């Protein structure tokens, strides 16, 4: 028997794979589809204090190697997801709630409402939305991020996590890790959000693919796998008391395996889920099991974080 179950904090997941925030999670019908799939957990669309329509369309495009998006945080407002979380059956699979306030005060307000539910939901604070014009990604401003985490940590009685932008420089990994390690109840780091502000060009029409921001948008899919794995493995090494959730470039069981080998405790899927739908999770589980059987691994702990260097 091959066991692909995992834990985030004390919560068991039957499979390590689930949706990345932003994909199949804005509507309760979509959240329910992920819940009824072979995903091991689900996470809601990043929410704001008030509902948002998001950026003008087209704002997502599939490309040969992945996707580009500038959704602009379309969501129903936090009360909609609060209601879902209030009625959720937590014996089924873990529920993560993504929070992406437009200010620290908004984040504190929403986090307080969610923790007052006194349910075992797992808040994932999004420090890395690349697509709201005029709002820089907090994860790239180390002083502002430290200030925000200090206030959030002081206000939180329950464990929480953060969704991080990709980092590209060793000094930035070290500075970010030093900040995260200050906060005991910050228990998980989700690496990575899309690579912000890429540009995909159509040669025939000589145009951009999406309307907002002159075509700039967050890049996901195959393009981002090496960056995602670098972030997972580096924070796994630098933050030994945190759990890492991998995200980026997963299209098959092989990439799930690689994320776990680099140290991920669970693995989110964005672009590929958008393209393939929730049946994807059944396939990923089967492909992961096949790789583990070929290698003689019985459970994820047999290889998690055991990436070898030369
Ligand atoms: O809604 C979005 O445009 C969006 C968000 Br909040 C995010 O965190 N990452 C992304 O690629 N798109």
């Amino acid at each position: 028997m091959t066991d692909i179950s995992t834990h985030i904090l004390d919560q068991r997941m039957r499979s390590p794979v689930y949706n990345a925030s932003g994909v199949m999670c804005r509507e309760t019908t979509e959240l329910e589809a992920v819940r009824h799939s072979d995903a091991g957990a689900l996470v809601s669309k990043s929410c704001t204090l008030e509902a948002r329509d998001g950026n003008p369309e087209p704002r997502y495009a599939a490309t040969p190697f992945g996707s580009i998006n500038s959704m602009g945080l379309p969501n129903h407002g936090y009360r909609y997801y609060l209601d879902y979380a209030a009625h959720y059956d937590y014996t089924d699979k873990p529920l993560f709630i993504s929070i992406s306030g437009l200010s620290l005060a908004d984040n504190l307000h929403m986090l307080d409402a969610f923790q007052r539910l006194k349910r075992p939901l797992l808040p994932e604070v999004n420090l890395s939305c690349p697509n709201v014009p005029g709002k820089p990604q907090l994860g790239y401003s180390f002083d502002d991020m430290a200030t925000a985490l200090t206030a959030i940590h002081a206000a939180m009685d329950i464990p929480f996590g953060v969704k991080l932008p990709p980092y590209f420089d060793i000094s930035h990994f070290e500075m970010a890790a030093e900040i995260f390690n200050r906060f005991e109840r910050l228990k998980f780091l989700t690496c990575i959000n899309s690579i912000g502000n890429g540009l995909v060009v159509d040669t025939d029409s000589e145009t951009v693919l999406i309307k907002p921001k002159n075509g700039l948008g967050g890049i996901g899919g195959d393009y981002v796998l090496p960056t995602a794995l670098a972030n997972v493995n580096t924070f796994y090494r630098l933050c030994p008391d945190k759990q890492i959730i991998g995200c980026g470039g997963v299209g098959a069981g092989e990439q799930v395996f690689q994320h776990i080998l680099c140290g991920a405790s669970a693995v989110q899927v964005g672009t590929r889920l958008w393209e393939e739908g929730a049946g994807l999770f059944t396939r990923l589980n089967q492909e992961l099991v096949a790789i583990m059987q070929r290698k003689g691994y019985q459970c994820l702990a047999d290889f998690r974080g055991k990436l070898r260097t030369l």
Side-chain angles (χ1 to χ4, degrees), residues 7-27:
H7 285 79
I8 295 294
L9 297 160
D10 58 350
Q11 298 199 38
R12 184 172 185 276
M13 295 169 56
R14 291 187 291 272
S15 151
V17 294
Y18 64 112
N19 67 302
S21 181
V23 183
M24 281 197 78
C25 59
R26 193 171 0 143
E27 310 296 328

Side-chain angles (χ1 to χ4, degrees), residues 21-22 45-46 55 59 69-74 98 100 126 128-132 163 193-195 217-219:
S21 181
K45 171 67 185 171
S46 289
N55 292 338
R59 57 194 186 181
N69 89 83
S70 183
M71 303 299 290
L73 261 173
S98 177
S100 192
N126 187 353
S128 48
C129 174
N131 297 334
V132 178
K163 175 80 169 270
N193 208 317
S194 54
I195 297 183
I219 304 295

Side-chain angles (χ1 to χ4, degrees), residues 179-193:
I179 293 169
F180 304 141
N181 286 334
R182 294 178 202 166
F183 302 109
E184 200 244 315
R185 286 183 299 289
L186 171 55
K187 294 290 193 191
F188 63 90
L189 311 175
T190 305
C191 308
I192 57 171
N193 208 317

Side-chain angles (χ1 to χ4, degrees), residues 152-199:
I152 290 169
H153 189 255
M156 292 297 279
D157 301 324
I158 62 172
F160 65 101
V162 288
K163 175 80 169 270
L164 297 175
Y167 296 99
F168 302 93
D169 191 279
I170 300 295
S171 70
H172 295 168
F173 284 118
E174 288 170 349
M175 282 192 280
E178 187 279 318
I179 293 169
F180 304 141
N181 286 334
R182 294 178 202 166
F183 302 109
E184 200 244 315
R185 286 183 299 289
L186 171 55
K187 294 290 193 191
F188 63 90
L189 311 175
T190 305
C191 308
I192 57 171
N193 208 317
S194 54
I195 297 183
N197 298 300
L199 183 62

Side-chain angles (χ1 to χ4, degrees), residues 26 28 31 44-52 73-86 97-101 105-117 121:
R26 193 171 0 143
T28 54
L31 288 162
S44 58
K45 171 67 185 171
S46 289
C47 62
T48 48
L49 214 48
E50 303 302 335
R52 288 171 58 88
L73 261 173
N75 77 95
H76 288 289
Y78 82 99
R79 293 173 196 86
Y80 179 92
Y81 306 98
L82 189 68
D83 186 62
Y84 185 77
I97 295 287
S98 177
I99 307 272
S100 192
D106 287 5
N107 273 335
L108 292 171
H109 185 91
M110 292 187 282
L111 286 165
D112 185 58
F114 279 103
Q115 76 172 350
R116 276 164 184 268
L117 285 179
L121 59 89

